[in-house]
Amino acid sequence: MLVAGSAWAGRLTSAAAGLITIRLLTEGLGTEHYAVYAILSGLQGWYMLSDMGVGVSLQNHISERRAKDKSYDDFIWAAALIALFLVFSSIVLLHFMGTYLAPRILGSFPFLSTEEKIHYFFVVGALSILMGIGSIVYRIWYAEQKGYLANIIPAVGALLTLASIWIVVHTQLTATQRLYWSLIASFVPIAGLPVIALIGKAAGCAGRRSFTRELLHHLVKRAFKFWFFGLMAAGVLQIDYLLMSQYLKPNEIVIYNLGTKVFNIAFFIYAALLAAVWPVCAEAIARNEWGRVRKYVRDYNIAGICFICLVTGGMMWMMPWLVKLLAPRQHLAIPTLFTLTLGAYFAIRVWSDTYAMALQSMSFLRPLWVIVPLQAALNIILQLALIPRYGIYGVVFGLICSFALTVAWTLPKTLHARFRENSRSDM
């Protein structure tokens, strides 16, 4: 309950700070420059893969050790060493890839020079990589059932970001300079805090760092499974901004960004609750308490879908007012049908992510390895076909169909089969 309560408080604080930040950015940057900001920020999910699945693997290993009352400091130290290697290798790779990718992703923004596109792309990518690898510390806290820390730190980061953005937009700068410093102000706090916390956590385990090559092998082997699943999931959830940057106008990108930002606030609250119950499920599975896991899945699904339905109803009524509040000078409008479509998408996300969480908490990733690549391929094909014809609706229709045709029914079927199999084995 402490973790859940801190999740609500932290997310609400982050949400309030985020909404104010959006208003500052839309007023300070204008539609076209804010569209660039939205595209670069929208790539963040890809960079979160830079931890190569080590965070999730570490979380499950810690939960398994805790269930047996064993020390896990050796795992933390091993993960810290891997993280150090990943930081340097990922940033070097980004440096070489940015020269090729940046001009193509930002090709529809001619007011930026090629050098500016490459530089902005690299800066956002490097800071996002630090954030992704630093977030390993959040996994440690969740596994230790100290998830309230994993909810407080991002909230503090959001408040620091808000203060930094306020300073930037109230400083006499050109529009392009303001865009650059807004990107810096947005990512430095949320990247720096978890990195500092991870260093502190690793330093606390430095004196108890006896680990073997076998331990490192177990950590990396399981991490790769989670990373591959995360990569395929990114093909579903993170492809939207890449495709929109090629087909949509800046004002359409801003409309999509504002609509999804509002819904993401609600979904992030639910995601924080799922993150909190993940280690609880992992420990219950380690003790063969399958009925308890089944109850968690059922209760969280019901509560999550009801929550999204309430949010959708509220947003259909409040969205015009919110748009005027967040972007008063941009003369934008988010259609009610688009709000309803987003609500349907996030409802199916709640359903699917809850079952995915349960499967990952038992480190049973084989079905995800099979179905998520198919979902990613289907999503890309659908969005390529639908976005040029239906614009922002094509993005969400592609997402909904990719979920409905794949994970929305295969994951529940797989999990219930797993429940039955383990119930028989316990008899």
Side-chain angles (χ1 to χ4, degrees):
M1 292 303 297
L2 177 62
V3 174
S6 67
W8 279 86
R11 297 296 179 173
L12 289 175
T13 301
S14 298
L19 292 176
I20 298 171
T21 298
I22 291 173
R23 172 160 183 153
L24 290 172
L25 289 170
T26 55
E27 288 191 313
L29 299 180
T31 300
E32 290 189 334
H33 285 80
Y34 181 77
V36 176
Y37 178 93
I39 293 294
L40 291 175
S41 300
L43 300 177
Q44 181 179 306
W46 292 100
Y47 300 118
M48 296 300 286
L49 296 170
S50 57
D51 80 333
M52 298 295 290
V54 170
V56 186
S57 175
L58 178 62
Q59 176 178 318
N60 281 3
H61 277 297
I62 291 175
S63 295
E64 291 163 7
R65 287 278 186 93
R66 280 172 53 88
K68 299 174 183 177
D69 293 322
K70 293 183 178 180
S71 173
Y72 48 83
D73 290 336
D74 50 354
F75 272 115
I76 293 178
W77 181 252
L81 294 180
I82 295 172
L84 184 63
F85 168 77
L86 291 175
V87 166
F88 288 105
S89 58
S90 298
I91 291 178
V92 169
L93 181 63
L94 175 69
H95 173 73
F96 290 105
M97 293 181 62
T99 304
Y100 173 79
L101 293 176
R104 287 158 179 79
I105 293 174
L106 301 176
S108 58
F109 301 101
F111 53 86
L112 292 177
S113 67
T114 301
E115 291 75 17
E116 287 172 330
K117 292 173 184 176
I118 294 172
H119 183 56
Y120 294 1
F121 180 86
F122 177 78
V123 167
V124 171
L127 290 172
S128 297
I129 286 169
L130 289 173
M131 178 172 61
I133 294 176
S135 65
I136 291 174
V137 76
Y138 298 150
R139 294 292 185 175
I140 296 172
W141 284 334
Y142 275 123
E144 293 177 333
Q145 310 239 346
K146 297 177 182 177
Y148 54 89
L149 293 174
N151 295 317
I152 292 172
I153 296 300
V156 173
L159 292 175
L160 291 175
T161 293
L162 172 60
S164 302
I165 291 290
W166 188 91
I167 293 171
V168 170
V169 299
H170 288 88
T171 302
Q172 294 298 320
L173 300 168
T174 66
T176 303
Q177 290 173 331
R178 190 169 290 165
L179 169 62
Y180 174 71
W181 287 107
S182 294
L183 291 168
I184 296 290
S186 295
F187 285 91
V188 167
I190 57 177
L193 291 177
V195 167
I196 293 170
L198 179 60
I199 292 172
K201 192 72 177 178
C205 299
R208 304 180 294 276
R209 59 181 185 272
S210 58
F211 64 91
T212 63
R213 182 180 298 178
E214 183 182 4
L215 179 146
L216 200 64
H217 172 73
H218 284 309
L219 185 63
V220 173
K221 181 180 178 181
R222 187 180 288 184
F224 177 76
K225 296 178 182 179
F226 285 110
W227 177 81
F228 181 79
F229 166 64
L231 180 63
M232 293 301 100
V236 178
L237 303 176
Q238 307 300 330
I239 201 69
D240 49 359
Y241 281 97
L242 287 173
L243 296 181
M244 286 192 299
S245 69
Q246 306 302 307
Y247 293 107
L248 300 186
K249 298 176 182 178
N251 66 312
E252 293 177 297
I253 294 173
V254 174
I255 289 173
Y256 179 87
N257 179 262
L258 292 178
T260 53
K261 284 277 189 184
V262 172
F263 271 92
N264 270 325
I265 290 170
F267 187 76
F268 284 162
I269 293 173
Y270 182 74
L273 298 179
L274 276 188
V277 80
W278 179 324
V280 177
C281 287
E283 291 188 22
I285 290 165
R287 300 188 185 103
N288 291 320
E289 297 173 352
W290 296 97
R292 188 178 171 197
V293 178
R294 187 194 297 268
K295 184 177 185 301
Y296 278 129
V297 171
R298 182 194 64 210
D299 292 351
Y300 271 68
N301 251 326
I302 293 172
I305 292 173
C306 290
F307 176 58
I308 292 296
C309 289
L310 289 173
V311 169
T312 303
M315 288 303 102
M316 291 174 68
W317 173 56
M318 294 178 60
M319 192 64 83
W321 173 80
L322 280 174
V323 173
K324 289 181 180 179
L325 177 68
L326 299 177
R329 300 180 184 177
Q330 308 308 316
H331 306 292
L332 301 171
I334 298 180
T336 301
L337 179 60
F338 184 64
T339 302
L340 185 61
T341 307
L342 284 175
Y345 162 61
F346 280 99
I348 200 169
R349 277 284 306 277
V350 164
W351 172 267
S352 303
D353 283 19
T354 304
Y355 283 100
M357 178 278 299
L359 289 170
Q360 290 179 86
S361 69
M362 62 181 72
S363 298
F364 184 58
L365 301 182
R366 196 179 310 124
L368 295 171
W369 276 41
V370 175
I371 196 63
V372 177
L374 295 176
Q375 182 189 10
L378 180 62
N379 179 59
I380 293 171
I381 293 169
L382 287 171
Q383 291 200 24
L384 283 171
L386 296 174
I387 291 176
R389 180 174 296 183
Y390 299 108
I392 55 177
Y393 289 97
V395 181
V396 187
F397 289 155
L399 287 165
I400 290 174
C401 291
S402 71
F403 273 89
L405 296 174
T406 56
V407 294
W409 64 273
T410 57
L411 296 189
K413 182 179 179 181
T414 300
L415 184 63
H416 289 304
R418 192 75 172 173
F419 284 150
R420 289 193 297 272
E421 177 184 335
N422 284 280
S423 296
R424 286 195 298 268
S425 65
D426 291 340
M427 294 177 62

